[in-house]
Amino acid sequence: MKDSSKKEIDNKAFSDECNTVLMAVSDALYAIGGKWKLMIIISMARGNKRFTEIQRQVTGISARVLSSELKELEINGFIVKKVAVGYPVSIEYELLPYSQTLQEVVEAMTKWGMQHREKIKTERSLVNLKKQ
């Protein structure tokens, strides 16, 4: 009886820990998930502040999607939209200090992405060699 009770407690602790991890990852994906958000932040960190500069740098993103993603990044506290009144009206986006908390994530994803690309290239080369 003690063993099954201990297993239930261990399973509950494991389940609670799993739920905590899943919830944290879910929150992170909500804030920065998708195809574009991190790419927009990276582009902005490299000096692109205007809508057209960001769109030009982030290849393949439509104006509608960029506008939506910028709004979501602003809501989540990563960027701020600055409107300079005058003629013509000038709009720039600026990274907030909170965006720096993503630096380790970007570095880890960059490292993994390069590793993954190399793995795929190597595997394709091997497959092509076997076909010959």
Side-chain angles (χ1 to χ4, degrees):
M1 191 91 156
K2 279 187 174 180
D3 286 340
S4 73
S5 179
K6 173 125 173 74
K7 284 182 183 177
E8 280 183 35
I9 292 170
D10 288 346
N11 286 340
K12 174 89 170 106
F14 178 77
S15 180
D16 288 346
E17 188 266 340
C18 184
N19 286 335
T20 300
V21 170
L22 290 172
M23 201 171 0
V25 170
S26 177
D27 291 346
L29 289 174
Y30 171 79
I32 60 167
K35 184 175 180 179
W36 305 111
K37 286 186 183 82
L38 281 178
M39 292 172 64
I40 292 166
I41 289 172
I42 292 165
S43 173
M44 291 179 67
R46 304 300 188 275
N48 298 304
K49 295 178 186 271
R50 303 198 63 171
F51 189 92
T52 52
E53 292 172 344
I54 298 166
Q55 188 177 20
R56 195 175 305 119
Q57 185 71 50
V58 181
T59 308
I61 192 168
S62 71
R64 191 175 117 249
V65 171
L66 177 57
S67 178
S68 174
E69 297 290 83
L70 287 168
K71 285 177 188 169
E72 288 183 27
L73 288 169
E74 191 173 13
I75 288 168
N76 283 295
F78 294 111
I79 66 171
V80 65
K81 179 179 181 178
K82 293 192 170 188
V83 180
V85 182
Y87 186 80
V89 173
S90 175
I91 300 173
E92 289 189 347
Y93 297 89
E94 185 178 303
L95 290 174
L96 293 172
Y98 185 59
S99 66
Q100 293 298 312
T101 63
L102 296 171
Q103 187 172 349
E104 287 181 40
V105 173
V106 171
E107 288 172 1
M109 289 184 75
T110 300
K111 181 180 175 184
W112 186 87
M114 293 169 79
Q115 172 188 314
H116 180 67
R117 181 177 292 268
E118 193 57 40
K119 174 189 179 293
I120 297 301
K121 281 171 49 178
T122 302
E123 287 176 358
R124 284 186 183 161
S125 295
L126 291 173
V127 168
N128 288 336
L129 285 174
K130 286 181 182 178
K131 285 182 180 178
Q132 294 175 355

